[in-house]
Amino acid sequence: MKADIAVVGSGLAALVATRTLHQAGRNAVLIWPGLSSLYFTYATIDVLGYSDLTTTRPVEQPEAGVAQLIADHPDHPYALAGLEGLRSGTTLLIEWLRAAGFAWQGDLGRNLLLPTAIGTPKPSCLVPDSMAAGDLRRDDPIVFCGFHGYEDFVPELAASNLSRSWGRGEHSVRAVRITLPSFEPGNLFTSIDLARSFEDTTFRREVASRIRREIGVDGVRVGIPAVLGLTHDTDVYSSFAAEVGHPVFEIPTLPPSVLGLRLFDRLRKHIQESGVEMIWAAPAHEAEVSDGQCRRIFLKSAGREQPIEARAYVLALEDTVDGALRAGVHSMVDPFFHEALAHHEMPTERTDESLFKPQPYASIGYRVTRRLQPSDDAGRPLAGNVFVAGGAIAGYDPVGTKSRGGLAIATGYRAAQEAMAA
Amino acid sequence: MPDTTTGVVVIGGGSTGAGVLRDLSMRGIDAVLVEKGDLASGTTGRSHGLLHSGGRYCVNDLAAAIECVEEGRILRRIAKTTVEDTGGYFVSVSEEDLAWEPRFVEGCAKAGITCERIPVEEARRREPALSRHVRTVFWIPEDGHLDPFYLVVGNVESARRRGAQVRTYTEVTGFLKNDNRVSGVVTRDIFTGEETTIGCQAVINATGAWAGFVARLLDVEVKVVPVKGVMVVLSHRVAHATINRCHKPGDGDIIVPALSVAILGTTSAKVPHPEVLPIEWDEVHHMIEEGALMADGVSTARAMRAYAGVRPLYDLGAEAEGREMSRNFAVIDHEARDGIAGFASIVGGKVTTYRLMAERVTDLVARRLGVRTPCTTAEVALNDREDEMDQLRHRPAQLGVPKPHGDELGLQALICECELVRPQDVAPWFKDPAVRTLEDIRRRTRSGMGPCQSAICSYRLAGRLVTERGLDGPTATRAMADFLETRWRGVRHVFWGSQLRQAQVTTGVHLELFNLDRQLMHDLPPSLAGEGRGGGFETAEVASQR
């Protein structure tokens, strides 16, 4: 199979890169290794939540925060992508979300502060409309609403934590629970089951009326688990909020994250519908390189290896999640060039003693040139027409600073630009 | 005057202490068990879970082997729900193993262990996991898996139904004495620091590897040699039956399919203290290599975590060390030996023979107390009240299959999908004052023991700390974080392959979705994890229930 530019990956970076190429009128093929764990843990798009790993003060203005980060760390992937990459990528994504039927809000000028399912405030930059009313910069009281028999969102836990940290007074946060219509106690229902049920008008109306009755006062906003529709979130959310009669906001739950499913499923489908060829569930590996250029990459598909021949390639993989890195017992190797990216005498070296500290393994990835080409130890490109985006770039870990989404957007956009110029 | 009084205080909440508590209660003797950690948090819960047929000891330690044969048969009767009757293979993979075989066959005959040589082809048909290195195979039908947590909890609950009491996270710091007679213990609550005295007629020291420390409080010596063993947990059962190497017991020569996982054991190294149990990479690596000689799945299965336990080998004064030392046990009558009345120690032994150990020491103490009721622990089943045992946990083993996917469980809400733990399995434990950390819930239900290592259930359990235990959010959140940290400590040792993807899910949920790392920098209550206790969520309400 031949293409102008091949993009490999199943996360936000791959989608942004593909959309960038498509918007520019280029013939792109998207090679999607399969469901990544992003589906299960994604909700908002975080650009920069904290400026470093020790501060507890959230970044208020993500764009200014990233500019400062670039000034302080000229080798950071944000610096390689450039502030312009972040701005253009974000504009492209917001417009795309609108075109795909999403209602999202946010701009790089400010972070929202949203309550999580454990009741901690978390800074996020771009968020679905359905989450925005949770913004803790507003003062109105919050009622967390859970459902009896649903274990993946515990309103009492969220309320207890938030009432201690938010500082709007003891009575400004409380928890309620309602019984969902037609659910028997002891029955299994997952977030996905609930999201499907919420697409039903009668069900939704009944839940709304039960919540309204349970709350019984005016002037509050209602936080509920993010289960308001699996695919048609915009309609589901707005009609539900109207029926509840209070501002409503969704809170991301334990996996599977319905918000992540909505986002990735819809964007993937939308890009396919707009005519981009997509190869589904095919892990790509092995780059054939000659004269400093990648000639072909190979897909593992049923029973045989399929070569993909492109003029340029964007490797937009998310760490180990979708196969960017292979972790053997002692070494971590990339699947395309078979470069040993790290060597460890003992596997414990890959981790910190605490789960809550930065993990060395998360920073392992491709060393890249200033043009995002994967490079060898000496900084020479492994292939001049390959560009890396997303979590597979070495040297940073977006977990602690809450910057995964922004980095994916900025590097995805920039890698696509480079691929077009190559 | 002591704060409370009882007949006998049992120190130690492992299998031996739990067995003693049950035995005492069945003879009608009032008893209180005190344990400085949780039940089964020391040697018992860190064993490999092999229900010994005796085959492993029959050459070098015939007396221990014979005890295993008898006790294994008793356990199959009285503790059905803790035993998975897998049977086992002893396999030879080297010339040395083949040379060991005649001694093994002879040992089995002497100990009364059923042992059948089967052709390798036939063995491979029954057990496709056997590696190509396997040269000869013996079938030992009485090897199996013994769930150590369930065994201890089953014994303790049986004793509680008969009026016995349990105090976890309660350390003995001193003894009350009347001349040369022990008349009680002084205890300290690990979480609150509160001191309490319990008056009694006798104290039984069932603390295994810690027995020397307890005895020292009375200025008497009990020499226990702490010997570390490291285990690796594989993410699936790997084999149908247990697999032992047919040789002089060594490193990495046991594979035990245990519920949803397999446990690969073990190593042997003397340690200076029973709580100093570093897991060395060389040990983990060597075990996987050795295990792979016996079964193909070992090197390809996902290693999920590693853990270390300590054998409480009793020094009979011989020159032997480590595995050379007997796995036999001894009852020490401190009245006869040291002139201290009302104090006895039970040392050595192993989980498989816990009941016999309990019987022997209880015989001694009961005799001293003038109680003539005979021991009935070998006859009366642990779950003599079916309904309550059922509540402990739904046991796949009871259904005769390893894991009943679909059917009944598939339609129920679950707290832990990995281990199929239902809400009703965890609910009673939130009301039990002996349960004071989420690790304690894990030990009683298996929640958090599966492939995701508590990434999912930790949140649900933390939620229940608020809704069912009445804790505040920060305390419950700290308990959740401590639970995750405790699991992480085992995960780190086998961090390759898909473990990295799993870790990304865990950090994706807890650090990215929940922002837990920043929350921990705020004003959460302090953790006890640094002391190796996985964090406690003791509160005033809980304390008042005690």
Side-chain angles (χ1 to χ4, degrees):
Chain A
M1 182 182 176
K2 291 191 179 186
D4 180 11
I5 297 166
V7 180
V8 183
S10 51
L12 193 58
L15 286 165
V16 167
T18 309
R19 176 75 177 178
T20 305
L21 297 168
H22 180 67
Q23 292 285 79
R26 304 297 285 260
N27 166 25
V29 57
L30 175 57
I31 298 157
W32 190 262
L35 287 184
S36 71
S37 74
L38 297 177
Y39 268 73
F40 305 111
T41 61
Y42 232 93
T44 55
I45 293 176
D46 304 339
V47 171
L48 188 67
Y50 298 93
S51 56
D52 61 52
L53 293 169
T54 52
T55 180
T56 53
R57 250 181 74 109
V59 167
E60 285 175 17
Q61 300 171 326
E63 185 168 346
V66 171
Q68 187 61 47
L69 187 72
I70 290 173
D72 294 345
H73 304 279
D75 292 326
H76 193 279
Y78 262 138
L80 303 182
L83 199 55
E84 191 43 43
L86 176 63
R87 285 195 195 116
S88 307
T90 304
T91 307
L92 175 125
L93 179 68
I94 289 285
E95 280 168 10
W96 184 17
L97 286 167
R98 199 168 299 136
F102 283 103
W104 274 54
Q105 53 178 271
D107 63 66
L108 293 173
R110 54 101 198 87
N111 268 330
L112 279 73
L113 206 55
L114 300 173
T116 70
I118 58 171
T120 52
K122 194 196 133 183
S124 290
C125 183
L126 308 177
V127 305
D129 269 1
S130 62
M131 286 181 71
D135 193 358
L136 296 169
R137 298 174 309 165
R138 290 168 48 177
D139 285 336
D140 36 336
I142 289 175
V143 179
F144 289 109
C145 177
F147 309 129
H148 288 295
Y150 176 67
E151 304 276 348
D152 292 356
F153 176 71
V154 183
E156 296 85 358
L157 174 63
S160 178
N161 271 328
L162 188 65
S163 67
R164 278 163 175 78
S165 64
W166 191 34
R168 295 292 193 280
E170 233 175 77
H171 303 293
S172 59
V173 186
R174 68 184 169 111
V176 297
R177 279 191 191 237
I178 60 148
T179 303
L180 292 168
S182 76
F183 279 112
E184 300 288 331
N187 265 13
L188 174 72
F189 50 102
T190 65
S191 302
I192 291 179
D193 296 331
L194 281 182
R196 285 206 187 90
S197 298
F198 268 94
E199 288 177 1
D200 177 78
T201 317
T202 320
F203 178 88
R204 202 161 64 222
R205 199 165 287 156
E206 177 58 28
V207 174
S209 108
R210 289 184 191 190
I211 291 177
R212 202 172 52 239
R213 276 203 305 274
E214 186 65 38
I215 290 174
V217 294
D218 290 330
V220 299
R221 44 187 165 150
V222 185
I224 70 158
V227 292
L228 294 179
L230 194 55
T231 51
H232 302 97
D233 55 302
T234 309
D235 296 343
V236 171
Y237 168 71
S238 46
S239 65
F240 181 73
E243 283 152 8
V244 171
H246 299 280
V248 170
F249 60 96
E250 288 190 292
I251 300 162
T253 65
L254 282 182
S257 165
V258 169
L259 291 157
L261 283 169
R262 276 182 209 153
L263 182 67
F264 288 102
D265 261 356
R266 185 106 55 96
L267 290 185
R268 178 176 58 76
K269 278 180 195 146
H270 188 263
I271 207 157
Q272 272 183 296
E273 283 159 13
S274 61
V276 171
E277 174 142 20
M278 186 173 151
I279 300 172
W280 173 256
H285 74 124
E286 188 80 54
E288 190 182 298
V289 181
S290 63
D291 302 328
Q293 298 285 306
C294 177
R295 305 298 172 186
R296 300 193 290 181
I297 58 171
F298 293 89
L299 301 190
K300 278 183 184 160
S301 54
R304 71 201 166 96
E305 288 210 319
Q306 190 189 348
I308 302 282
E309 199 176 322
R311 218 182 33 73
Y313 303 83
V314 176
L315 304 183
L317 295 156
E318 289 287 338
D319 298 332
T320 55
V321 171
D322 49 3
L325 309 180
R326 298 199 175 142
V329 173
H330 294 293
S331 58
M332 290 177 65
V333 175
D334 95 277
F336 291 97
F337 307 99
H338 304 197
E339 283 280 299
L341 302 175
H343 183 85
H344 304 99
E345 287 300 310
M346 295 176 283
T348 41
E349 292 168 14
R350 292 175 176 164
T351 57
D352 189 272
E353 283 181 17
S354 168
L355 177 64
F356 303 109
K357 296 276 165 58
Q359 302 299 329
Y361 80 90
S363 301
I364 296 166
Y366 290 98
R367 289 172 294 270
V368 292
T369 66
R370 309 243 20 126
R371 295 180 56 206
L372 298 177
Q373 294 148 313
S375 70
D376 62 14
D377 282 341
R380 287 182 302 259
L382 297 171
N385 59 340
V386 176
F387 305 91
V388 184
I393 299 174
Y396 80 98
D397 171 9
V399 172
T401 50
K402 320 296 168 193
S403 54
R404 183 182 296 282
L407 279 157
I409 295 171
T411 56
Y413 181 82
R414 176 69 196 277
Q417 296 293 343
E418 293 290 349
M420 288 190 280
Chain B
M1 274 294 284
D3 299 318
T4 54
T5 56
T6 184
V8 175
V9 168
V10 182
I11 311 175
S15 55
T16 314
V20 170
L21 189 73
R22 177 171 193 252
D23 202 334
L24 288 166
S25 71
M26 287 172 66
R27 298 188 207 210
I29 301 170
D30 271 354
V32 175
L33 183 150
V34 292
E35 159 59 52
K36 75 175 182 135
D38 182 32
L39 299 175
S41 63
T43 297
T44 303
R46 294 163 171 277
S47 69
H48 46 52
L50 179 65
L51 174 63
H52 284 279
S53 62
R56 213 172 149 75
Y57 301 119
C58 67
V59 176
N60 282 343
D61 201 349
L62 189 61
I66 291 169
E67 284 167 11
C68 285
V69 173
E70 290 167 3
E71 289 302 309
R73 287 171 191 168
I74 291 170
L75 282 175
R76 281 178 167 78
R77 280 202 313 273
I78 67 160
K80 251 184 219 166
T81 53
T82 69
V83 173
E84 270 185 277
D85 233 334
T86 59
Y89 300 99
F90 273 70
V91 300
S92 293
V93 303
S94 70
E95 289 299 324
E96 293 81 60
D97 297 356
L98 294 174
W100 181 262
E101 277 181 8
R103 302 176 65 190
F104 173 72
V105 173
E106 189 194 339
C108 284
K110 277 191 195 158
I113 300 163
T114 313
C115 158
E116 176 200 352
R117 182 190 287 273
I118 50 176
V120 175
E121 285 317 304
E122 167 68 9
R124 285 229 172 76
R125 198 182 57 74
R126 288 197 217 170
E127 185 62 84
L130 292 176
S131 87
R132 65 183 190 283
H133 306 290
V134 168
R135 294 162 71 168
T136 59
V137 181
F138 292 95
W139 169 244
I140 310 289
E142 290 186 294
D143 265 339
H145 169 242
L146 179 64
D147 183 335
F149 303 106
Y150 211 49
L151 181 71
V152 171
V153 171
N155 270 282
V156 165
E157 293 306 301
S158 169
R160 276 173 148 183
R161 287 196 294 272
R162 292 170 169 84
Q165 291 177 45
V166 173
R167 297 186 188 181
T168 54
Y169 298 99
T170 302
E171 186 174 23
V172 171
T173 56
F175 284 85
L176 305 177
K177 275 174 74 180
N178 230 331
D179 298 327
N180 280 330
R181 166 166 291 280
V182 169
S183 62
V185 294
V186 183
T187 68
R188 187 180 71 93
D189 186 296
I190 296 280
F191 292 110
T192 63
E194 187 192 344
E195 287 217 339
T196 309
T197 52
I198 309 172
C200 62
Q201 292 167 280
V203 174
I204 296 175
N205 174 16
T207 54
W210 288 263
F213 300 106
V214 172
R216 199 169 302 153
L217 297 172
L218 284 165
D219 289 326
V220 298
E221 191 182 52
V222 172
K223 275 180 86 174
V224 179
V225 181
V227 177
K228 178 185 71 168
V230 171
M231 266 71 56
V232 174
V233 185
L234 305 174
S235 70
H236 59 96
R237 287 168 67 89
V238 179
H240 298 110
T242 66
I243 303 176
N244 271 268
R245 184 96 171 258
C246 185
H247 68 178
K248 193 169 123 185
D251 290 349
D253 59 357
I254 317 175
I255 301 166
V256 182
L259 297 164
S260 55
V261 300
I263 295 168
L264 177 60
T266 171
T267 59
S268 178
K270 260 188 168 181
V271 285
H273 187 281
E275 286 160 34
V276 179
L277 302 173
I279 297 170
E280 308 291 349
W281 165 241
D282 287 348
E283 297 175 294
V284 172
H285 174 69
H286 182 53
M287 258 197 304
I288 292 174
E289 263 187 349
E290 289 291 310
L293 288 176
M294 304 193 293
D296 283 337
V298 170
S299 51
T300 52
R302 170 175 157 199
M304 257 168 35
R305 61 182 289 112
Y307 63 95
V310 58
R311 301 175 185 83
L313 302 190
Y314 179 54
D315 188 350
L316 292 160
E319 298 285 300
E321 287 201 357
R323 284 204 179 87
E324 305 285 314
M325 289 176 66
S326 173
R327 296 311 306 275
N328 220 322
F329 65 86
V331 173
I332 306 172
D333 177 357
H334 293 285
E335 182 169 351
R337 199 189 81 171
D338 307 300
I340 296 177
F343 186 55
S345 295
I346 171 83
V347 287
K350 61 184 106 23
V351 177
T352 299
T353 57
Y354 86 95
R355 193 212 59 84
L356 181 64
M357 296 162 67
E359 177 179 339
R360 293 282 163 76
V361 74
T362 310
D363 279 348
L364 170 73
V365 171
R367 198 163 62 239
R368 288 276 154 76
L369 297 181
V371 176
R372 289 175 199 289
T373 319
C375 175
T376 52
T377 55
E379 288 82 44
V380 182
L382 288 188
N383 55 343
D384 50 350
R385 274 176 54 179
E386 288 283 347
D387 53 331
E388 290 206 11
M389 276 306 278
D390 265 2
Q391 257 190 7
L392 294 181
R393 195 164 69 84
H394 176 83
R395 296 287 299 189
Q398 282 174 301
L399 302 178
V401 289
K403 200 140 192 183
H405 290 295
D407 297 355
E408 184 197 354
L409 284 172
L411 300 171
Q412 294 189 340
L414 295 171
I415 293 291
C416 167
E417 279 92 349
C418 300
E419 292 286 342
L420 303 178
V421 180
R422 307 166 302 172
Q424 61 265 48
D425 300 324
V426 300
W429 299 116
F430 284 100
K431 310 251 183 292
D432 184 347
V435 168
R436 293 165 78 178
T437 75
L438 291 183
E439 279 282 304
D440 304 350
I441 301 277
R442 171 185 72 80
R443 277 183 279 267
R444 285 159 181 78
T445 63
R446 293 189 72 84
S447 197
M449 279 192 178
C452 91
Q453 291 287 300
S454 87
I456 307 296
C457 69
S458 57
Y459 174 78
R460 297 169 177 161
L461 295 175
R464 281 168 179 261
L465 288 178
V466 176
T467 57
E468 294 186 23
R469 192 116 185 191
L471 301 187
D472 61 26
T475 308
T477 306
R478 168 56 78 183
M480 174 173 88
D482 286 345
F483 189 27
L484 286 160
E485 286 281 52
T486 313
R487 301 279 86 203
W488 178 247
R489 283 203 284 274
V491 169
R492 296 182 63 225
H493 296 284
V494 289
F495 203 66
W496 61 82
S498 50
Q499 290 282 85
L500 278 72
R501 304 178 72 175
Q502 187 75 65
Q504 285 197 317
V505 173
T506 309
T507 55
V509 172
H510 290 275
L511 280 72
E512 294 192 72
L513 274 190
F514 293 170
N515 208 12
L516 181 53
D517 50 340
R518 299 288 158 167
Q519 180 73 1
L520 292 172
M521 296 177 192
H522 283 286
D523 54 348
L524 285 189
S527 170
L528 282 152
E531 294 168 47
R533 293 190 186 100
F537 44 74
E538 182 67 283
T539 64
E541 298 108 278
V542 174
S544 69
Q545 288 174 26
R546 289 153 58 78

